[in-house]
Amino acid sequence: MALLFWSCAVQAEVPSSKDAAPEAPGGEVRALQRWFENDLHFFIDGRGSAKLFLRRQPVKAAILADPFPIKNEVTYLIAKLSDAAGVSHEITMRDVNLAIVVDSPINDGDKPDARLWRKVGLSEGMYQIVSAQGNWASGCGIYSFANKDGQVSLSIVFADSKLGSAQVKDCVIEGVIRGFGLRESRKLVMRADDGYIQYITLAKAFTACEKKIGIERLFAMGEAEQRSKYIECVSEFLSRL
């Protein structure tokens, strides 16, 4: 099982004209493309084939946080992103593949807190892989594993409750969105209060385009051709809104 690694310092992403979604529906196609091109993250599988890294399997989410004022908001976002991705979802503690933890501390030095890791039911093997990567002392840890088919198989979002409430929200919202394969190439945590619902629409666009073009047909293409097909189709989808 391959690992895509992110150790996110809690630094808010400053909105810019490049990253912001177009304000008016039916705007310039190129403006739409500039917004979502950074979200085309390709995973190279064991056979050397490129596949767009997205969540295409049912979501089993665990939320361990008490108190957690934005739990309803996060649960709503998971539901809407799952619907957009065309997969079912449930909040559960069994066979978790989207783990959200808000606690303190979330780290043991540079490593994740093993107690919290076990509490979510994550394996020792995964703990060893993640522990060997990066630094958990930032207060916000976001990791996604990919399966052999290049799909999101497990995402982990740990936020330290000693951070400010806005920083905790930014970390968790960012982690959930990345847990669906979006924003994987971004370097900073988004500022959630600036808006993030556009990513539900983007997830819906990717799903619609994979149905329209055909997922097997896409996976048979090289990365450059896939990128071109996705950009063309998603731009058309968004321009109709």
Side-chain angles (χ1 to χ4, degrees), residues 27-106:
E28 294 285 340
V29 171
R30 185 58 193 162
L32 288 167
Q33 292 176 356
R34 283 197 300 269
W35 169 58
F36 72 79
E37 277 181 358
N38 283 338
D39 291 294
L40 293 170
H41 182 82
F42 286 87
F43 173 84
I44 308 301
D45 68 16
R47 296 184 294 273
S49 300
K51 296 175 180 178
L52 189 62
F53 185 61
L54 294 174
R55 186 177 284 271
R56 302 183 182 90
Q57 297 177 334
V59 177
K60 296 187 176 182
I63 302 176
L64 275 69
D66 187 23
F68 190 35
I70 62 167
K71 185 172 183 178
N72 288 342
E73 183 176 0
V74 170
T75 303
Y76 172 82
L77 179 59
I78 292 170
K80 297 301 288 184
L81 282 168
S82 298
D83 183 64
V87 298
S88 61
H89 79 282
E90 62 177 311
I91 306 300
T92 181
M93 289 298 297
R94 298 188 60 180
D95 301 322
V96 173
N97 60 27
L98 175 57
I100 300 167
V101 178
V102 181
D103 206 325
S104 188
I106 63 166

Side-chain angles (χ1 to χ4, degrees), residues 112-239:
D113 186 302
R115 174 184 59 88
L116 296 177
W117 193 270
R118 290 191 296 268
K119 196 172 181 180
V120 193
L122 301 176
S123 74
E124 178 65 21
M126 290 179 180
Y127 178 81
Q128 294 301 327
I129 292 172
V130 173
S131 294
Q133 311 285 331
N135 187 333
W136 273 79
S138 70
C140 177
I142 301 172
Y143 298 80
S144 286
F145 289 84
N147 63 19
K148 61 182 177 63
D149 294 319
Q151 303 180 93
V152 180
S153 59
L154 169 65
S155 294
I156 304 155
V157 188
F158 277 22
D160 197 307
S161 58
K162 289 185 178 179
L163 296 172
S165 58
Q167 292 177 308
V168 170
K169 179 178 179 178
D170 291 345
C171 177
V172 174
I173 295 296
E174 177 82 20
V176 170
I177 290 171
R178 291 195 187 198
F180 282 79
L182 306 175
R183 293 183 55 82
E184 288 290 345
S185 296
R186 308 282 176 155
K187 302 303 181 185
L188 300 176
V189 174
M190 70 184 298
R191 186 180 290 114
D193 284 346
D194 288 330
Y196 52 84
I197 302 302
Q198 65 270 25
Y199 288 100
I200 296 172
T201 303
L202 184 58
K204 189 176 296 185
F206 283 131
T207 301
C209 287
E210 290 190 340
K211 288 181 179 178
K212 179 180 179 180
I213 300 170
I215 191 68
E216 295 301 326
R217 180 185 169 199
L218 281 164
F219 285 172
M221 300 175 186
E223 180 177 337
E225 188 177 3
Q226 283 189 65
R227 183 178 294 274
S228 177
K229 292 290 186 183
Y230 277 112
I231 288 173
E232 179 183 3
C233 182
V234 172
S235 296
E236 181 183 354
F237 182 96
L238 296 177
S239 67

Side-chain angles (χ1 to χ4, degrees), residues 6-22:
W6 299 91
S7 181
C8 303
V10 182
Q11 179 179 359
E13 181 176 283
V14 178
S16 68
S17 58
K18 179 179 179 180
D19 292 331

